Amino acid sequence: MINFKELAKKYDTPLYVYDFDKIEKDFLELKNAFKARKSLIAYAVKANSNLSVLKKLSELGSGADCVSIGEIKRALLAGIPKYKIVFSGVGKRDEEIEEALKLDILFINLESEAEMQRVEEIAMGLGKKARISIRVNPNIDPKTHPYISTGLHENKFGVDIDTAKKMYLKANNSSFLEPVGIHFHIGSQLTKLEPIKEASQIVADLTRSLIKIGIDIKFFDVGGGLGIEYKDETTIKPYDYAQAIFSTLKGLDLTVICEPGRFIVGNAGYFLTKVLYEKVNGDKRFIIVDGGMNDLLRPSLYKAFHKVEVLDRTGDVSKADVVGPVCESGDFLAKDAELPKTEHNDIILVHSAGAYGFVMSSNYNTRARAAEVAVEKSKDRIIRDRESFEDLISKERKYI
Ligand code: LLP
């Protein structure tokens, strides 16, 4: 059991705390679920890119799914080998492509014909052959929040099947491109198996037809998206997830890559914030805390639910909104949460904050970003210092 109150006292708030033992357990569960085939878990760095988190995952054998050269550099710094790194994203700059090619990562995921042309030209300039994979958009509704759904044609991600075929043929005839993989990702926080299986079937069928015409696909990248329990969602078991994908791959000898982010770190992370005051406006009760939307954006941005509790307080509960100090009406961490009466300096624990928490934080209202702490085998350590005012202004020209 993590003593959150002690940690709040020791490191102050707002604070992110990550349970590294849980990260290990969940990572290994997923890794084992895929062990019946050649496979690679390429952790989606965007979910939580702290170097210590990446190092922990690197030690467990993880690869990395990166969406910027910055994320690639983080992964390498943390010890993830280059041959386990893939580079995705709809808008890669020329410099990023060039650097990724020089670094010789496993492959670059392409999301458009225009991008393929850029990659080919840059590879030619370097006298290299770029290993590529193409992100196919299977036009499947993942039945998740529209902001995090990506596998429908109305989304900006990937290319349709016919375009993908055309691109593979072209790439196969190029001296500077080597098509080695195929990729899809239909959305995030997926809680239903059927859309994943359907997408996998469509992309597996395409893979078979590509192999038939001599395109040597070696990697079948199923993206990320495995959902977690925030409230009372029924989630997909890693074993069932892997089996559903395997069932679409009969007769194919491929390495399966999966790119989970949220599943690995989401429920291993907590956000701690301190109560400043309570107030009542009409019959609406507010608990005002020292952490806000600049620290944890998900509730404001997606109306996402995060379970909250007041540490060491019992007694009668009533509905309250937990709101931050940022000057925006949309600055809240929880709405209508049933909470006991609080006092100044009580600690509120926000659950499921390990994924898309700190990484989406900002300095809005000139607020320093929170510190991050790891707890591993009952020992805690700081893994990112709290920002100071000096950090916040360090890039500004002060006297012009
Ligand atoms: N692979 C690709 C190509 C992705 O676009 C993503 C997430 C992942 C893997 C990892 O997905 P995960 O396993 O974490 O679901 N900020 C939003 C989530 C955005 C997800 C973007 N792509 C949130 O807070 O819910």
Side-chain angles (χ1 to χ4, degrees):
M1 268 298 279
I2 300 176
N3 189 336
F4 291 107
K5 224 165 164 189
E6 276 301 311
L7 294 176
K9 208 186 286 166
K10 182 164 169 190
Y11 298 104
D12 206 358
T13 56
L15 183 71
Y16 275 97
V17 175
Y18 309 123
D19 178 346
F20 273 31
D21 299 326
K22 178 156 172 63
I23 292 179
E24 176 167 338
K25 185 175 152 282
D26 290 347
F27 177 86
L28 292 178
E29 186 185 355
L30 194 58
K31 191 174 162 164
N32 284 333
F34 277 93
K35 74 172 179 215
R37 271 185 171 260
K38 284 179 286 183
S39 56
L40 170 68
I41 309 288
Y43 167 68
V45 173
K46 65 172 86 68
N48 185 325
S49 56
N50 184 289
L51 288 172
S52 301
V53 171
L54 298 180
K55 178 159 177 287
K56 172 82 198 169
L57 289 168
S58 150
E59 285 164 3
L60 295 170
S62 183
D65 163 47
C66 300
V67 291
S68 67
I69 197 69
E71 285 191 354
I72 293 176
K73 287 181 184 168
R74 277 182 181 272
L76 289 168
L77 259 181
I80 296 177
K82 61 183 185 182
Y83 57 85
K84 288 186 182 174
I85 296 178
V86 302
F87 186 16
S88 313
V90 277
K92 306 177 190 79
R93 287 168 52 89
D94 290 2
E95 294 81 353
E96 294 185 290
I97 295 169
E98 185 172 334
E99 236 181 304
L101 289 175
K102 283 186 185 155
L103 288 168
D104 205 27
I105 60 168
L106 184 57
F107 58 75
I108 298 181
N109 262 322
L110 302 178
E111 301 230 14
S112 65
E113 291 180 88
E115 187 189 15
M116 187 163 98
Q117 200 177 330
R118 284 309 302 143
V119 171
E120 186 179 25
E121 279 165 19
I122 294 167
M124 180 159 55
L126 294 172
K128 282 194 161 232
K129 204 162 187 177
R131 283 182 297 276
I132 56 130
S133 147
I134 294 171
R135 176 163 176 181
V136 181
N137 184 328
N139 202 23
I140 294 287
D141 183 353
K143 309 219 163 21
T144 181
H145 191 294
Y147 281 14
I148 49 178
S149 141
T150 50
L152 279 168
H153 285 164
E154 65 195 60
N155 300 121
K156 68 177 173 180
F157 299 98
V159 297
D160 59 56
I161 303 261
D162 289 340
T163 310
K165 273 190 194 150
K166 218 168 80 191
M167 286 170 70
Y168 275 110
L169 282 173
K170 206 166 155 211
N172 214 34
N173 287 326
S174 163
S175 313
F176 302 101
L177 297 172
E178 185 186 0
V180 294
I182 194 157
H183 177 232
F184 67 95
H185 169 85
I186 58 171
S188 203
Q189 183 54 16
L190 306 173
T191 53
K192 307 229 169 354
L193 202 47
E194 211 38 54
I196 302 172
K197 196 169 165 184
E198 231 177 288
S200 185
Q201 189 64 59
I202 291 170
V203 181
D205 290 345
L206 171 62
T207 307
R208 282 188 192 91
S209 68
L210 293 172
I211 290 176
K212 219 174 265 165
I213 56 171
I215 298 168
D216 190 13
I217 306 283
K218 299 183 185 76
F219 300 98
F220 189 82
D221 183 341
V222 302
L226 208 51
I228 60 168
E229 192 178 332
Y230 283 96
K231 195 178 193 176
D232 48 14
E233 300 88 342
T234 33
T235 52
I236 302 165
K237 302 249 171 323
Y239 179 80
D240 298 338
Y241 176 60
Q243 288 300 317
I245 290 161
F246 291 170
S247 74
T248 67
L249 295 179
K250 300 227 165 72
L252 287 170
D253 177 25
L254 301 161
T255 298
V256 180
I257 298 182
C258 132
E259 307 168 347
R262 194 187 313 266
F263 179 82
I264 304 292
V265 288
N267 275 333
Y270 301 84
F271 179 62
L272 272 65
T273 179
K274 200 157 38 196
V275 173
L276 300 175
Y277 328 100
E278 279 216 21
K279 77 183 219 181
V280 176
N281 277 352
D283 45 14
K284 184 97 194 158
R285 176 182 167 214
F286 293 99
I287 301 175
I288 302 159
V289 295
D290 70 349
M293 65 187 289
N294 76 296
D295 298 299
L296 179 62
L297 184 60
R298 304 193 72 256
S300 303
L301 190 59
Y302 313 117
K303 295 199 171 68
F305 172 88
H306 284 260
K307 189 174 134 197
V308 290
E309 62 177 303
V310 187
L311 296 181
D312 297 342
R313 284 254 172 242
T314 46
D316 291 348
V317 296
S318 66
K319 280 195 171 41
D321 285 6
V322 179
V323 300
V326 173
C327 296
E328 299 269 352
S329 303
D331 178 24
F332 66 90
L333 298 177
K335 288 248 185 221
D336 289 331
E338 296 282 357
L339 295 171
K341 171 104 191 68
T342 63
E343 305 247 328
H344 187 65
N345 285 343
D346 275 356
I347 301 298
I348 293 199
L349 180 66
V350 183
H351 291 253
S352 313
Y356 309 106
F358 181 87
V359 285
M360 287 172 70
S361 65
S362 78
N363 295 122
Y364 187 38
N365 283 196
T366 304
R367 290 169 48 78
R369 269 178 292 190
E372 294 176 287
V373 162
V375 178
E376 190 166 17
K377 310 228 175 339
S378 305
K379 286 207 167 61
D380 54 85
R381 63 181 193 271
I382 188 103
I383 56 172
R384 191 183 202 271
D385 289 317
R386 183 176 303 288
E387 285 177 343
S388 66
F389 173 68
E390 285 67 33
D391 291 332
L392 265 58
I393 59 164
S394 66
K395 291 276 181 257
E396 288 173 42
R397 308 293 166 105
K398 285 139 202 127
Y399 307 109
I400 50 174

